[in-house]
Each structure stands twice: as C-alpha cells, then as structure tokens.
Amino acid sequence: MTTDTKNHEDAMSTTLSPEPHTDVPTGDKTDAGRVAPGLFDPAQLVKSVPDALRKLDPRVMATSPVMFVVLVGSVATTVLALRSPADWFGWAITAWLWLTTIFANLAEAVAEGRGKAQADTLRRAKTDTVARRLAEDGSGEERVPGTGLRVGDLVVCEAGDVIPGDGDVVEGVASVDESAITGESAPVIRESGGDRSAVTGGTRVLSDRIVVRITTKPGETFIDRMIGLVEGAARQKTPNEVALNILLASLTIVFLLAVVTLKPFAIYAGADGQTSLIVLTALLVCLIPTTIGALLSAIGIAGMDRLVQRNVLAMSGRAVEAAGDVSTLLLDKTGTITLGNRRAAEFVPVKGVTAAEVADAAQLSSLADETPEGRSVVVLAKERYGLRERHRGELAHAEWVPFTAQTRMSGVDVDGHKVRKGATASVLAWVRERGGEVAPDADTVADRISEAGGTPLLVAVEDAEGARVLGVIHLKDVVKDGMRERFEELRRMGIRTVMITGDNPLTAKAIAEEAGVDDFLAEATPEDKMALIKREQAGGKLVAMTGDGTNDAPALAQADVGVAMNTGTSAAKEAGNMVDLDSDPTKLIEIVEIGKQLLITRGALTTFSLANDVAKYFAIIPAMFAVAHPGLDKLNIMGLSSPESAILSAVVFNALVIVALVPLALKGVRYRPTSADRMLRRNLAVYGLGGLVAPFVGIKVIDLLLSLVPGIG
C-alpha cells in the first residue's frame, strides 16, 4: 500500500479516534464512561487479603528471595516464641514479622486484583456465539458454535450479529461497536482491502454486512490474550527485574552471613544475652532490602496496568521496560503529527489558464476520488467559484478513473476530453506519455507549495490541443496543537524523533521544521523504515514506532517497541509487541512516558529501600551491644528508650513503610522530562536522603509510643 492511500485512511480513522491524552493517568478506566475506585478502595483491600494469605505458600514466596527469607524468619521466631510463651518481646517480634510478610503479599495482591477487575469486564465481552460459516463448496451458510471455528473459515456477520472470532474483513464494509474492548462508545468502520480490516471476536456489527476470515484458534483470541495479560497470568519478569532480583538476593546473602557471624563475636565479647535468635532474626529482616523486595512485583504489574488504563495492551513486561529506554521514536506524519485531514485550499493556474478553468477540471476529475482530499476539492470548487456540484450519475456515458494506490491519480474521460488530477510525478508522467508539454511555472508553483508545507496536486487535461497541465491544487495539512512542546519534552528526555512520510522532501522538511522533530524520512517505503530501524539499533539505540498496515509488519517486528493500531491488520497486530485499542498514533509518546515512569519508580524505591538500612543499623546494633559495651551507647543517636523498644521499633517501622509505599508503587513516581544526570541527582536527593531521614523519624516516633506501654519503656 502506498503512503498516499495510507494517508487517506489515516485521515478517516483520525475522525473516529479520541483526542490524544497528555497526562499519565491517575484513574482506572474500566469501561466507557466509568472510572474505577482509587488505589486503596476498601472493597478491593478486603478482596485482596485472602490472596495475600494464599501467597504465603513457600513455593510462591520462593520467587522473591528477600521475602522468602522473611517468611523463614517468621516461622523460626514463631517456634522460638512457642518455647517461651511468657516472652512478650518474642511474640511482638513474631507478630510484626508475619505482618511484614503479609503486607508484602498484599501489595502484589492489590496490584493483581486491579487487573482481575479489568479481566472480569473483558470476560463479559466473551459470549458463546453461533457463527454463520460459509460452506467450503459454496452451497451457502451453515450455523456452527463459535468455539468450532478454525483458522481460515469464512463467516458472515450482519447488523446485530456478534463477531464470533478474530479475523480480517475480506468482503464488505460495516460499522462495528468495539466498546466492550476499547471502552469507547463511538462505532468504528471496518472494511476489506485496507488497513482497517481487522475485527475482534466479541464485538458487535451495527450496520451492513461483512465476510470475515478467521485468523485465530478458539481460546487464543485477542480477548483471551488480554485477559491473561491483565490478570498477570502471562506476565514474565523483565530482564531488569531479574537483574534487580539477583542484586537483592546477593545483598540478602551478604547480610545473612554478617548476622550469622555476630553470634560467635557476641559470645566472645560477653554479650550473648543480647543476641538471641529472635533478635538476630529481627536484625536480619531489618537489614535486608525488604521494602523493594516486597514492592518489586507490584511495581511491574502496576506498570502494565497503567498501559491498560490507557487502552494499550502490552504483550510483555519487556516491551514496557523497553519503552522506558527508547532513544529513537519513529512517527507517521499524517494523523500523528498533523491532523491528517488535508483539505484543498486554493487552485493555482499556470500561465495562460484561469483559476476557474483549473477549478472546473479539478472538480470533474475528483468525482471519482472518494478520499477526504478528493471530496474537499469538489467542495472548494463549488464554494469559491460557484460551480454546481456535479454527480457521476449525471455523466452516464463517461468513463471514470478512480483513485488507486498504484496510479495515485483520478479522473474522467468524457466528450473527447481526458481530465486527470493527482500526485505530481504521476500526472507529469501521464502528460509526457501523451507527448504533451509541461508549463515551466507548474514545477515552480508545486515547489513553492511544498516548501510552505503543503501538498501539490497537478490538474491536467488532454483534448484537441493535446495533453497539458492546467494548474496546481494546494492541499494543506495542519500540525496538531502542542506537538512542538511535546517533541521538546522528548528531546529533554534524550529521545530523538523522526517523522516518516510519503511526501516529497520539500514538503516533509517544511512540516518537520514546523512540528519541531529532529529528523524526517521522506518518500518512505517499508524497506526504508526497516533500514532506518536497523541503522539506529546498530548504534546501540532502542527504537519505537507505530504502524497499522501489513506493510508495516516487518518494521513493527524489528522495532524494540512496536505499537500496532487496533484498527490495523492482523499481521500488524501480531508483529507488534503492543496494541493500541484506541488506534491513536500519538499515544506512542505516552507509552514512552509510562515506560520511563516504571523505571524511575523502581529505581526510586530501590534507592529508598537501601538508604533505610542505615537508620535501622543505628537503631538495632547499639541496642544489642550497649549493655556489654557501654561505649556503644554513643551510637544511640536517636536516644531510644530501651534495647527491646529499639529493636521492636525498627521491626514495626520496617513493616509499616511497606504499606506506606504501596500507593506510590501502584501509581508510580511522577515523571518529569529531564536529563539522566539531573534525574539521578533528584532521586538521590529525594529518595536517597528521604530513605535516610524517614527511618530516624519513624523509629523514634514508634519508640516514644512504645515507651508509654508499661513493661517496654
């Protein structure tokens, strides 16, 4: 498919797509017009508690080395507390260690529960349908269960029918209600032969009749895949997440060895009484990075959940992370950077021809052009020059030449005249094939329009005087508001933007300068897109792009982040690793922001967690050895009331800080476009320094509260 055709279709689909969003979401959109409750909806918390308790299964806990150690410690202290039923301190430590484990599981359970709520909405879209399958011998239709369809089957769907499975429209055009999938109530157009041919099982046909070729097996449909992904059942740990888990496991082993060696040192120093197994377990749990270990999985699930809220389906967590590391962004011009609805703005005649003559010929040749651009030519000729809008039915003897992707022009042969209108190169070739001459000022006018960012279409005629160019139609395409500012934000993020267009280099350059992109690729073919992606990747960069057509599939598969439009073909959706259910190409910018937010959130909470250990060290170590070595009391800089209160305060804070950070893990750290150096300094200042100060304050407050309890202070 040529770029001209794609631009026509993009322009039409733009009118069906919602306006692009500019902020990372804070609410949870589950279906049309309804926003889910907040992060800590009481009903959601209650539902998540049983899941959190079920996650205490050692086989589940073993997937997180840090929290598995906490679970083992909880069991060990429980056994020790049972041996000394009168030891209130042992029971208090045991209770808070179990709460620490449950709070960690609760964070993940809440994140998964939000996904399950969305999955329930999707399940309601799955209905047992009866399909009208066309018989292979062409004898007619046969009714079969939707679950009995196979890849390649042809099914008929008419107004009111539920589409029984994923597929491509091979015949007809229809209006389809996809609100069960996208949450948008506005119907969309699905038709054969273009890049809006894909249909999803569970959606409903509102008008007309289409024939669909099934492309997926039962149980592997788009809705089935969505349900598995939003529930977390299909979520795999990303490479960065695996690497961080290895780091946390390594730190846990280091602290475990350090705590184990404290016992013989304490015996040698005569402080054996202060280093009971319960105290050592409390020390170990407080020193290992329990905060980030508890929240790590929830951060990953919430990242994919934020994409689902924006109606973007990520096929893997790897794709979300890759979006956060993208350094090159490929964007289509039409419908993404510009509004896409190019309209005729003026008729410019060549020397010796009047504008009215150009308008008359342009209108006549556009009657066979059903694209928005073609219709705008007819309207402009009528409004500006008073030409009556003619219809093809009035010229029954005429031979019409419809616009096609191959010819890139339209026209009509009538009464011995041949009129053509279309792309500059196509019309010039048509004139020269007939031995005609091209007026010198035709190229000049076309270049002037291109340099101004417009698109020139030539109008030519062949009659008794021969073939010749009459003039130029000026099509205008308007850059969307705010695009320059958004590209400036991306530039501050270190992302290079490249505009891809089928326009000639002059037009592409003018639009690129107006929009503020860093570079452009003019007259782009699928091979050109692939070559550009490979060049960028060869330089160690991650590339993101959008696409909707079968010819975009190779580039979508090659890109590190390939966002396929839901309106596109099945081939495009299979090739990409994300699908935008709203088919809004500008959403690629938001996907990058959400990916970066995920990485920033993980880094910020890791920094906070590791910084926490310093304060907990100053709380517990002096309490353990100050009795045997009074000089260590100088390290008790918080002035904690007693050894028991100090140790218990640290354990309580260690548990409560997990609960306090769950909303941040689910919502994400606010993202601000800035350089990597400034971002690092900010994280160290806010979350590093905050991780140092918060435990000192929190542990001291808890100690003061505990000191009011008789027998502790």
Side-chain angles (χ1 to χ4, degrees):
M1 186 187 75
T2 68
T3 306
D4 280 7
T5 304
K6 183 177 187 303
N7 288 344
H8 297 328
E9 293 174 351
D10 283 349
M12 187 177 293
S13 66
T14 300
T15 65
L16 299 174
S17 301
E19 287 298 313
H21 304 277
T22 55
D23 298 320
V24 175
T26 56
D28 301 335
K29 177 179 153 186
T30 54
D31 53 38
R34 184 167 62 86
V35 177
L39 292 174
F40 268 94
D41 173 49
Q44 183 63 60
L45 274 179
V46 172
K47 291 179 182 178
S48 299
V49 170
D51 289 334
L53 295 175
R54 280 192 288 269
K55 288 178 180 291
L56 293 175
D57 184 338
R59 293 168 297 182
V60 177
M61 297 294 294
T63 59
S64 174
V66 176
M67 298 315 301
F68 182 72
V69 169
V70 179
L71 176 66
V72 172
S74 302
V75 174
T77 55
T78 302
V79 173
L80 294 173
L82 288 172
R83 290 182 177 180
S84 304
D87 183 10
W88 68 265
F89 178 74
W91 282 110
I93 294 293
T94 298
W96 280 101
L97 289 185
W98 278 112
L99 286 175
T100 302
T101 309
I102 294 171
F103 289 161
N105 290 342
L106 189 62
E108 184 174 356
V110 170
E112 290 178 350
R114 287 150 56 86
K116 289 177 181 178
Q118 292 169 336
D120 290 339
T121 302
L122 292 172
R123 280 197 180 91
R124 288 195 291 270
K126 289 190 63 177
T127 56
D128 295 329
T129 59
V130 176
R132 298 162 56 188
R133 182 172 63 186
L134 292 178
E136 294 182 3
D137 57 7
S139 59
E141 300 177 6
E142 55 181 344
R143 293 185 174 271
V144 299
T147 54
L149 294 174
R150 296 293 178 263
V151 175
D153 285 349
L154 296 177
V155 297
V156 177
C157 297
E158 293 181 328
D161 290 345
V162 174
I163 298 174
D166 295 356
D168 289 322
V169 179
V170 296
E171 180 184 319
V173 58
S175 175
V176 179
D177 175 12
E178 294 188 342
S179 59
I181 309 298
T182 66
E184 300 296 338
S185 57
V188 295
I189 301 298
R190 293 291 178 264
E191 60 184 345
S192 62
D195 289 344
R196 299 195 309 277
S197 61
V199 291
T200 304
T203 57
R204 185 179 297 275
V205 177
L206 298 179
S207 67
D208 303 295
R209 176 184 184 273
I210 53 176
V211 177
V212 177
R213 177 181 287 113
I214 300 299
T215 57
T216 58
K217 300 177 182 178
E220 298 179 6
T221 64
F222 196 61
I223 291 184
D224 290 317
R225 289 158 63 193
M226 286 181 67
I227 291 172
L229 288 165
V230 299
E231 280 187 324
R235 180 180 176 270
Q236 301 293 323
K237 290 185 183 295
T238 63
N240 286 346
E241 198 172 343
V242 170
L244 185 54
N245 261 319
I246 293 173
L247 172 63
L248 298 181
S250 301
L251 290 174
T252 301
I253 293 172
V254 170
F255 283 121
L256 180 61
L257 294 175
V259 170
V260 168
T261 57
L262 277 178
K263 189 64 175 178
F265 280 118
I267 295 173
Y268 177 79
D272 185 36
Q274 285 74 45
T275 56
S276 65
L277 290 179
I278 288 181
V279 171
L280 291 176
T281 302
L283 174 63
L284 175 63
V285 170
C286 288
L287 292 185
I288 62 177
T290 50
T291 306
I292 185 60
L295 300 175
L296 185 58
S297 181
I299 293 170
I301 294 172
M304 296 185 71
D305 181 55
R306 280 193 292 275
L307 281 177
V308 173
Q309 292 170 26
R310 304 309 275 170
N311 272 355
V312 177
L313 177 63
M315 302 304 180
S316 68
R318 182 189 296 266
V320 185
E321 276 196 358
D325 285 330
V326 159
S327 51
T328 302
L329 207 56
L330 307 186
L331 299 158
D332 272 341
K333 176 184 76 89
T334 306
T336 304
I337 295 174
T338 64
L339 292 176
N341 292 330
R342 295 183 299 178
R343 290 290 181 262
E346 63 176 328
F347 300 112
V348 185
V350 299
K351 187 175 181 181
V353 181
T354 66
E357 291 177 303
V358 177
D360 183 67
Q363 186 192 63
L364 189 61
S365 61
S366 297
L367 295 178
D369 184 357
E370 295 298 329
T371 65
E373 290 90 338
R375 291 193 293 270
S376 74
V377 171
V378 175
V379 172
L380 180 66
K382 175 185 177 182
E383 293 178 349
R384 185 166 298 183
Y385 295 95
L387 296 177
R388 183 177 64 84
E389 185 175 346
R390 291 166 286 191
H391 301 281
R392 293 176 61 173
E394 300 176 21
L395 303 171
H397 58 289
E399 183 178 341
W400 299 98
V401 180
F403 177 89
T404 67
Q406 289 72 34
T407 63
R408 299 176 67 193
M409 61 181 181
S410 62
V412 62
D413 298 344
V414 60
D415 296 333
H417 290 70
K418 294 182 178 181
V419 187
R420 297 292 184 272
K421 174 226 68 184
T424 303
S426 299
V427 174
L428 289 178
W430 182 82
V431 170
R432 286 168 179 150
E433 283 175 4
R434 285 152 180 75
E437 295 184 0
V438 179
D441 53 342
D443 285 335
T444 303
V445 172
D447 289 345
R448 187 176 71 245
I449 292 173
S450 296
E451 289 172 357
T455 300
L457 298 179
L458 293 189
V459 180
V461 64
E462 182 184 20
D463 52 19
E465 299 179 18
R468 63 193 185 280
V469 174
L470 296 180
V472 185
I473 303 171
H474 181 184
L475 294 182
K476 281 188 175 180
D477 199 357
V478 181
V479 174
K480 292 180 178 179
D481 290 337
M483 293 307 294
R484 175 174 285 275
E485 290 74 14
R486 299 204 74 178
F487 290 140
E488 183 59 37
E489 287 184 7
L490 291 171
R491 199 170 292 113
R492 290 198 297 270
M493 292 158 54
I495 297 175
R496 175 171 169 261
T497 52
V498 181
M499 182 185 77
I500 300 176
T501 177
D503 290 337
N504 62 68
L506 289 175
T507 301
K509 181 180 179 182
I511 294 293
E513 290 177 351
E514 183 180 353
V517 295
D518 298 312
D519 202 355
F520 64 89
L521 181 65
E523 298 177 343
T525 65
E527 292 77 16
D528 294 334
K529 296 178 186 178
M530 279 285 290
L532 175 59
I533 292 173
K534 289 181 178 179
R535 280 200 307 273
E536 294 292 320
Q537 290 173 334
K541 299 177 181 178
L542 296 186
V543 181
M545 74 160 289
T546 60
D548 57 3
T550 300
N551 64 342
D552 291 324
L556 286 171
Q558 180 67 35
D560 300 284
V561 179
V563 184
M565 301 294 102
N566 191 42
T567 56
T569 61
S570 296
K573 291 197 282 189
E574 289 294 332
N577 50 23
M578 291 188 186
V579 177
D580 177 18
L581 302 179
D582 292 332
S583 299
D584 176 10
T586 60
K587 200 175 290 182
L588 181 57
I589 298 173
E590 295 175 49
I591 290 171
V592 170
E593 291 176 349
I594 291 173
K596 285 190 174 294
Q597 187 185 35
L598 169 66
L599 297 178
I600 292 170
T601 302
R602 185 185 296 157
L605 293 185
T606 300
T607 303
F608 185 91
S609 178
L610 296 179
N612 263 228
D613 291 342
V614 177
K616 288 180 277 189
Y617 172 88
F618 277 100
I620 296 180
I621 295 298
M624 290 174 60
F625 294 101
V627 175
H629 300 280
L632 289 176
D633 194 52
K634 295 179 180 179
L635 294 178
N636 185 14
I637 57 178
M638 286 182 276
L640 302 178
S641 57
S642 69
E644 291 82 3
S645 177
I647 296 170
L648 184 56
S649 297
V651 172
V652 171
F653 175 84
N654 192 62
L656 294 181
V657 75
I658 294 174
V659 179
L661 291 176
V662 168
L664 185 62
L666 297 181
K667 186 176 181 180
V669 174
R670 183 181 176 186
Y671 171 71
R672 295 181 178 86
T674 184
S675 65
D677 290 341
R678 291 188 62 185
M679 195 179 302
L680 177 61
R681 289 197 297 270
R682 178 177 177 274
N683 277 354
L684 289 176
V686 175
Y687 296 97
L689 186 59
L692 284 173
V693 173
F696 280 97
V697 176
I699 290 173
K700 181 59 179 177
V701 170
I702 295 171
D703 174 72
L704 291 174
L705 294 175
L706 291 176
S707 65
L708 301 177
V709 179
I712 298 181

